[in-house]
Amino acid sequence: MLQNTDANTDLAVRSLDAICVNESRLEHKWYHNLKYLVVGIFFGIVFVKAEVISWYRIQEMFRLQSFHMYGIIGSAVITGMISVWLIKKFNVKTIYGEPIRISPKAFNKGQIYGGLMFGLGWAMTGACPGPLFAQIGTGATVVGVTLLSAIAGTWVYGRIREKLPH
């Protein structure tokens, strides 16, 4: 277990990354996570119905043949921008009353390289990490290879993270 000073150092380092830092100290019973399962299943159904997980739709997007995916991604970006603006403007708190803190992030060239690698993988496999489970749930079991590759890539990044420029 980490010492308190180690935990504070770890939190300071993680807050510099473009990842979510959960500072919550609340502990809940296991069944409190069921709400995330329900929302995840609902979200997966929406992905399937909106054809967001369709390999053909994704290929159309990368070939600039259809606006469908750009419209979905654009509406998600706009929704996210409005949500962050509202959270900051009205000092919105979590459902448990904890403050939401959004740390400023510095741009670096690694984000360009990471984005290019992500896009290349997305174009080659027809899948990004969000819809992987929905794709597998629809019976596209070959996407399991993509899931295992994503897990392996995450593991490799975790192993070499300290050696990379941030």
Side-chain angles (χ1 to χ4, degrees):
M1 192 149 188
L2 291 173
Q3 298 288 332
N4 193 24
T5 56
D6 291 340
N8 290 337
T9 302
D10 182 53
L11 181 63
V13 170
R14 286 186 299 135
S15 67
L16 298 175
D17 291 338
I19 60 173
C20 177
V21 178
N22 185 358
E23 296 178 1
S24 177
R25 301 290 181 225
L26 297 176
E27 293 190 22
H28 299 287
K29 301 266 188 214
W30 68 270
Y31 52 81
H32 281 268
N33 291 327
L34 291 177
K35 62 185 169 231
Y36 302 113
L37 177 66
V38 171
V39 170
I41 290 171
F42 174 75
F43 202 53
I45 292 169
V46 170
F47 273 10
V48 171
K49 294 297 183 184
E51 296 183 357
V52 172
I53 66 167
S54 168
W55 184 87
Y56 298 104
R57 287 289 189 183
I58 293 167
Q59 290 304 306
E60 285 176 344
M61 174 185 67
F62 282 108
R63 292 179 182 159
L64 304 174
Q65 296 173 335
S66 174
F67 182 75
H68 181 83
M69 291 294 289
Y70 292 111
I72 290 172
I73 293 168
S75 64
V77 169
I78 290 169
T79 301
M81 289 170 58
I82 292 169
S83 298
V84 169
W85 178 76
L86 289 171
I87 287 169
K88 288 181 175 181
K89 180 166 179 61
F90 296 108
N91 201 19
V92 176
K93 297 188 182 329
T94 68
I95 59 174
Y96 300 109
E98 295 178 306
I100 297 173
R101 186 176 62 88
I102 301 171
S103 302
K105 306 293 182 215
F107 177 79
N108 67 58
K109 64 182 177 182
Q111 294 164 338
I112 300 293
Y113 300 135
L116 288 171
M117 287 174 45
F118 180 86
L120 181 62
W122 192 10
M124 287 180 3
T125 63
C128 75
L132 279 176
F133 298 101
Q135 287 176 315
I136 293 169
T138 62
T141 54
V142 71
V143 178
V145 174
T146 306
L147 175 62
L148 292 175
S149 300
I151 292 169
T154 303
W155 181 82
V156 168
Y157 173 75
R159 297 291 291 180
I160 66 170
R161 181 181 179 279
E162 298 303 323
K163 297 177 179 93
L164 298 173
H166 285 95

